[in-house]
Amino acid sequence: MTFDGAKLDHGHKLMRNVGFLGDRTMVNGTLDPYATVQDELVRLRLLNASTARVYTFGFDDGRAFRQIASDGGLLEAPPTISRLRLSPGERAEIVIRMQPGERRILRSHPLDAGLDFWNQRFGGGDDSFDVMQLRAAPTLRPSAELPGALVASALPTGEDPSRSRFFELKMSGINGRKMDMSRVDETVTRGTTETWTLRNDDGMPHNFHVHDVQFRILEINGAAPPPPLRGPKDTVFVPSGSTVRIALRFDGPADPDTPYMYHCHLLYHEDKGMMGQFVVVDPGRPAAAPKPPPTSGSHQH
């Protein structure tokens, strides 16, 4: 892929188990971006659209900010934080208070995820760099304080699940199996709630993304998740040596012929086969055999 004479490099370097890491960061397709703000409170919608890098967002002066939303919507209450970690595919919305005329830089700070020396060094964990600058106008419109409560949660609680499943995350595949388009790995009944346990002992960072649902994180290593991770999620970071338990309710359309996916959202890991597929069926219905992928040269509409 090329643009303006430049070429995107997707090569994989030695010791870089997370995948390709570049040395330039774009925001909304812009290098070295800045935004001029006119209000005291500024709402930023953050999406980690990188293929491999995990960001630890924070401001250059260490100031606190409020998080109001996660992947799928508003939190019940906005926690006050100074660092926010987003792995590939994760989203969040934050609010920062600005002073007239000041300039603040949103940065990515080093990653604290319990990585060994090699994965920390070569997986970008030691990197720190500017992401974008906020430039406040000389006069700002006043902004009211955020409310202490936002929305009531509609996420499943995980109590009395109809079924529990376990997923071992490894570069070699999920539960020891590489992705196979001709295989349905899991069959889920529409209208039920399940709990899934995700375990990473692979020595490198992974995350886990589920199509079709927004889930609740119940536990991380046996403890309740911190406030920024208590909202609706469809992607969760799973560092090496950690266990994450989530609750999911499958209220979407049932279709025994068309699978949904679950996978690691680090593109290199996904391409290596860290993906599986599941179908949602009506009660008592079996999954159908997956349709074969198109042969070379064919075209599907």
Side-chain angles (χ1 to χ4, degrees):
M1 182 184 298
T2 61
F3 57 97
D4 294 336
K7 183 177 181 181
L8 296 180
D9 182 359
H10 294 287
H12 179 71
K13 296 182 179 181
L14 185 67
M15 302 293 295
R16 192 156 287 176
N17 291 325
V18 298
F20 176 80
L21 296 174
D23 57 7
R24 300 294 300 275
T25 301
M26 293 191 296
V27 176
N28 292 349
T30 302
L31 291 169
D32 302 320
Y34 69 89
T36 301
V37 300
Q38 306 287 340
D39 298 278
E40 291 178 341
L41 287 185
V42 181
R43 179 177 180 174
L44 299 177
R45 294 176 175 175
L46 305 178
L47 156 66
N48 181 351
S50 295
T51 63
R53 187 179 294 281
V54 179
Y55 294 85
T56 304
F57 290 108
F59 288 92
D60 56 326
D61 62 347
R63 70 175 53 191
F65 51 91
R66 309 290 291 278
Q67 181 184 352
I68 61 171
S70 55
D71 300 345
L74 293 172
L75 303 176
E76 291 186 88
T80 299
I81 55 178
S82 60
R83 294 286 189 272
L84 176 63
R85 183 174 65 192
L86 293 181
S87 63
E90 287 188 286
R91 291 91 70 199
E93 297 188 28
I94 65 172
V95 174
I96 176 177
R97 180 172 290 277
M98 299 288 290
Q99 298 298 321
E102 74 170 337
R103 296 189 176 189
R104 290 275 68 91
I105 296 175
L106 180 65
R107 311 196 77 234
S108 182
H109 297 267
L111 175 64
D112 181 10
L115 299 177
D116 61 28
F117 171 82
W118 298 105
N119 281 289
Q120 181 77 11
R121 175 67 181 84
F122 293 100
D126 291 333
D127 296 348
S128 184
F129 51 89
D130 296 348
V131 176
M132 68 172 296
Q133 185 183 69
L134 298 179
R135 300 178 180 179
T139 302
L140 298 177
R141 288 186 290 263
S143 299
E145 292 294 333
L146 288 176
L150 299 177
V151 296
S153 176
L155 296 170
T157 63
E159 297 180 0
D160 299 321
S162 62
R163 180 166 178 176
S164 298
R165 304 179 196 259
F166 178 81
F167 297 87
E168 182 183 34
L169 309 183
K170 289 186 178 294
M171 177 78 86
S172 56
I174 298 177
N175 286 342
R177 296 182 291 186
K178 288 183 178 292
M179 174 64 177
D180 184 343
M181 291 288 290
S182 65
R183 183 187 70 232
V184 170
D185 297 283
E186 309 289 344
T187 301
V188 176
T189 301
R190 184 178 185 272
T192 62
T193 297
E194 297 190 357
T195 58
W196 291 10
T197 299
L198 320 171
R199 178 64 186 172
N200 177 9
D201 280 320
D202 206 20
M204 66 185 73
H206 294 305
N207 71 7
F208 194 78
H209 172 62
V210 187
H211 292 200
D212 181 46
V213 297
Q214 294 289 322
F215 55 73
R216 181 195 295 270
I217 300 175
L218 299 174
E219 296 177 352
I220 299 176
N221 294 329
L229 295 178
R230 294 179 187 175
K233 298 282 291 174
D234 55 51
T235 307
V236 59
F237 185 52
V238 188
S240 181
S242 64
T243 300
V244 177
R245 195 163 70 94
I246 61 177
L248 318 85
R249 182 170 178 83
F250 298 90
D251 289 326
D255 185 345
D257 299 304
T258 305
Y260 295 102
M261 308 294 180
Y262 53 83
H263 56 88
C264 180
H265 229 307
L266 279 68
L267 185 60
Y268 178 62
H269 298 179
E270 183 180 350
D271 286 348
K272 284 289 188 180
M274 283 196 67
M275 176 182 285
Q277 53 185 359
F278 67 97
V279 292
V280 179
V281 298
D282 286 317
R285 290 286 305 275
K291 298 176 182 178
T295 58
S296 177
S298 67
H299 183 75
Q300 286 189 339
H301 293 279

